[in-house]
Coordinates of all heavy atoms in Angstrom, one line a residue:
P1633 N -1.9 3.8 26.8 CA -2.2 4.9 25.8 C -2.2 6.3 26.4 O -2.1 7.2 25.6 CB -3.6 4.5 25.2 CG -4.2 3.6 26.3 CD -3.1 2.9 26.9
E1634 N -2.3 6.4 27.7 CA -2.3 7.7 28.3 C -0.9 8.4 28.2 O -0.8 9.5 28.3 CB -2.7 7.6 29.8 CG -1.8 6.7 30.6 CD -2.3 5.3 30.6 OE1 -3.2 4.9 29.9 OE2 -1.8 4.5 31.5
L1635 N 0.1 7.5 27.8 CA 1.4 8.0 27.5 C 1.4 9.2 26.5 O 2.0 10.2 26.7 CB 2.4 6.9 27.1 CG 3.7 7.4 26.4 CD1 4.6 7.9 27.5 CD2 4.4 6.2 25.7
W1636 N 0.6 9.0 25.5 CA 0.6 9.9 24.3 C -0.1 11.2 24.6 O -0.2 12.1 23.8 CB 0.0 9.2 23.1 CG 0.7 7.9 22.9 CD1 0.3 6.7 23.1 CD2 2.0 7.8 22.3 NE1 1.3 5.8 22.8 CE2 2.3 6.4 22.3 CE3 3.0 8.7 21.9 CZ2 3.6 6.0 21.8 CZ3 4.2 8.2 21.4 CH2 4.5 6.8 21.4
R1637 N -0.7 11.3 25.8 CA -1.4 12.6 26.2 C -0.5 13.4 27.2 O -0.9 14.4 27.7 CB -2.7 12.3 26.9 CG -3.7 11.5 26.0 CD -5.0 11.3 26.6 NE -5.9 10.5 25.7 CZ -7.2 10.5 25.8 NH1 -7.8 11.2 26.6 NH2 -7.8 9.6 25.0
T1638 N 0.7 12.8 27.4 CA 1.7 13.5 28.3 C 2.1 14.9 27.7 O 2.5 15.0 26.5 CB 2.9 12.7 28.6 OG1 2.5 11.4 29.1 CG2 3.8 13.4 29.5
V1639 N 2.0 15.9 28.5 CA 2.4 17.3 28.0 C 3.9 17.4 28.1 O 4.6 17.1 29.1 CB 1.8 18.4 28.9 CG1 2.3 19.8 28.5 CG2 0.3 18.4 28.8
V1640 N 4.5 17.8 26.9 CA 6.0 17.8 26.9 C 6.5 19.2 26.6 O 7.6 19.6 26.8 CB 6.5 16.9 25.7 CG1 6.3 15.4 26.1 CG2 5.8 17.2 24.4
Y1641 N 5.5 20.2 26.0 CA 6.0 21.5 25.8 C 4.8 22.4 25.9 O 3.8 22.3 25.1 CB 6.6 21.6 24.4 CG 7.1 23.0 24.0 CD1 8.2 23.6 24.5 CD2 6.3 23.7 23.0 CE1 8.5 24.9 24.2 CE2 6.6 25.0 22.7 CZ 7.8 25.6 23.3 OH 8.1 26.9 23.0
Q1642 N 4.9 23.3 26.8 CA 3.8 24.2 27.1 C 2.5 23.4 27.3 O 2.4 22.6 28.2 CB 3.7 25.3 26.0 CG 4.8 26.2 26.0 CD 4.7 27.3 24.9 OE1 3.8 27.4 24.1 NE2 5.7 28.2 25.0
D1643 N 1.5 23.5 26.4 CA 0.3 22.8 26.5 C 0.2 21.7 25.4 O -0.9 21.1 25.2 CB -0.9 23.7 26.3 CG -1.0 24.7 27.5 OD1 -0.7 24.3 28.6 OD2 -1.5 25.9 27.2
Y1644 N 1.3 21.4 24.8 CA 1.3 20.4 23.7 C 1.7 19.0 24.3 O 2.7 18.8 24.9 CB 2.3 20.8 22.7 CG 1.9 22.0 21.8 CD1 2.3 23.3 22.2 CD2 1.1 21.8 20.7 CE1 1.9 24.4 21.4 CE2 0.7 22.9 20.0 CZ 1.1 24.2 20.2 OH 0.7 25.2 19.5
S1645 N 0.8 18.0 23.9 CA 1.1 16.7 24.3 C 2.0 16.0 23.3 O 2.4 16.6 22.3 CB -0.2 15.8 24.3 OG -0.7 15.7 23.0
I1646 N 2.5 14.8 23.7 CA 3.4 14.1 22.7 C 2.7 14.0 21.3 O 3.3 14.1 20.3 CB 3.8 12.7 23.3 CG1 4.6 12.9 24.6 CG2 4.5 11.9 22.2 CD1 5.0 11.6 25.2
T1647 N 1.5 13.5 21.4 CA 0.7 13.3 20.1 C 0.6 14.6 19.3 O 0.8 14.6 18.1 CB -0.7 12.8 20.4 OG1 -0.6 11.6 21.1 CG2 -1.4 12.6 19.1
Q1648 N 0.4 15.7 19.9 CA 0.3 17.0 19.2 C 1.6 17.4 18.6 O 1.6 17.9 17.5 CB -0.3 18.1 20.1 CG -1.7 17.8 20.5 CD -2.3 18.8 21.6 OE1 -1.5 19.1 22.4 NE2 -3.5 19.1 21.5
V1649 N 2.7 17.1 19.3 CA 4.0 17.4 18.7 C 4.3 16.5 17.6 O 4.8 17.0 16.5 CB 5.1 17.3 19.8 CG1 6.5 17.4 19.2 CG2 4.9 18.3 20.9
L1650 N 4.0 15.3 17.7 CA 4.2 14.3 16.5 C 3.3 14.8 15.3 O 3.7 14.7 14.2 CB 3.8 12.9 17.0 CG 4.8 12.3 18.0 CD1 4.3 10.9 18.4 CD2 6.2 12.1 17.4
K1651 N 2.1 15.2 15.6 CA 1.2 15.6 14.6 C 1.7 16.8 13.8 O 1.7 16.8 12.5 CB -0.1 15.9 15.2 CG -1.2 16.3 14.2 CD -2.5 16.6 15.0 CE -2.3 17.7 16.0 NZ -3.6 18.0 16.7
V1652 N 2.2 17.8 14.5 CA 2.8 19.0 13.9 C 4.1 18.6 13.1 O 4.3 19.1 12.0 CB 3.1 20.1 15.0 CG1 3.9 21.2 14.3 CG2 1.8 20.6 15.6
T1653 N 4.9 17.7 13.6 CA 6.0 17.3 12.9 C 5.7 16.6 11.6 O 6.4 16.9 10.6 CB 6.8 16.3 13.8 OG1 7.2 16.9 15.1 CG2 8.1 15.8 13.2
L1654 N 4.7 15.7 11.6 CA 4.3 15.1 10.4 C 3.8 16.1 9.4 O 4.2 16.0 8.2 CB 3.2 14.0 10.7 CG 2.7 13.3 9.5 CD1 3.8 12.4 8.9 CD2 1.5 12.4 9.9
Y1655 N 2.9 17.0 9.8 CA 2.4 18.0 8.9 C 3.4 18.8 8.3 O 3.4 19.3 7.2 CB 1.4 18.9 9.6 CG 0.1 18.2 9.9 CD1 -0.7 18.6 11.0 CD2 -0.5 17.1 9.1 CE1 -2.0 18.1 11.3 CE2 -1.7 16.6 9.4 CZ -2.4 17.1 10.5 OH -3.6 16.4 10.8
T1656 N 4.6 19.1 9.1 CA 5.7 19.9 8.6 C 6.6 19.1 7.7 O 7.1 19.6 6.7 CB 6.4 20.5 9.8 OG1 5.5 21.1 10.7 CG2 7.5 21.4 9.3
A1657 N 6.9 17.8 8.1 CA 7.9 17.1 7.3 C 7.4 16.7 5.9 O 8.2 16.7 5.0 CB 8.1 15.8 8.1
A1658 N 6.1 16.4 5.8 CA 5.6 16.0 4.4 C 5.8 17.1 3.4 O 6.5 16.9 2.4 CB 4.2 15.6 4.5
P1659 N 5.3 18.4 3.6 CA 5.6 19.4 2.6 C 6.9 19.9 2.5 O 7.4 20.4 1.5 CB 4.5 20.5 3.0 CG 4.3 20.3 4.5 CD 4.5 18.8 4.7
C1660 N 7.7 19.9 3.7 CA 9.0 20.5 3.7 C 10.1 19.5 3.2 O 11.2 20.0 2.9 CB 9.3 21.1 5.1 SG 8.2 22.4 5.5
L1661 N 9.8 18.2 3.3 CA 10.9 17.3 3.0 C 10.5 16.3 1.9 O 11.2 16.3 0.9 CB 11.2 16.4 4.3 CG 11.8 17.1 5.4 CD1 12.0 16.2 6.6 CD2 13.2 17.8 5.0
C1662 N 9.4 15.7 1.9 CA 8.9 14.7 1.0 C 8.7 15.3 -0.4 O 9.2 14.9 -1.4 CB 7.7 14.0 1.4 SG 8.0 12.9 2.9
V1663 N 7.9 16.5 -0.4 CA 7.6 17.1 -1.7 C 8.7 17.7 -2.4 O 9.0 17.3 -3.6 CB 6.5 18.1 -1.5 CG1 6.2 18.9 -2.8 CG2 5.2 17.5 -0.9

Side-chain angles (χ1 to χ4, degrees):
E1634 57 272 13
L1635 166 70
W1636 305 105
R1637 304 188 183 199
T1638 304
V1639 175
V1640 292
Y1641 177 74
Q1642 294 183 356
D1643 294 329
Y1644 289 93
S1645 67
I1646 295 177
T1647 301
Q1648 289 171 328
V1649 171
L1650 292 173
K1651 181 179 62 181
V1652 172
T1653 302
L1654 178 65
Y1655 286 154
T1656 304
C1660 296
L1661 295 177
C1662 294
V1663 175

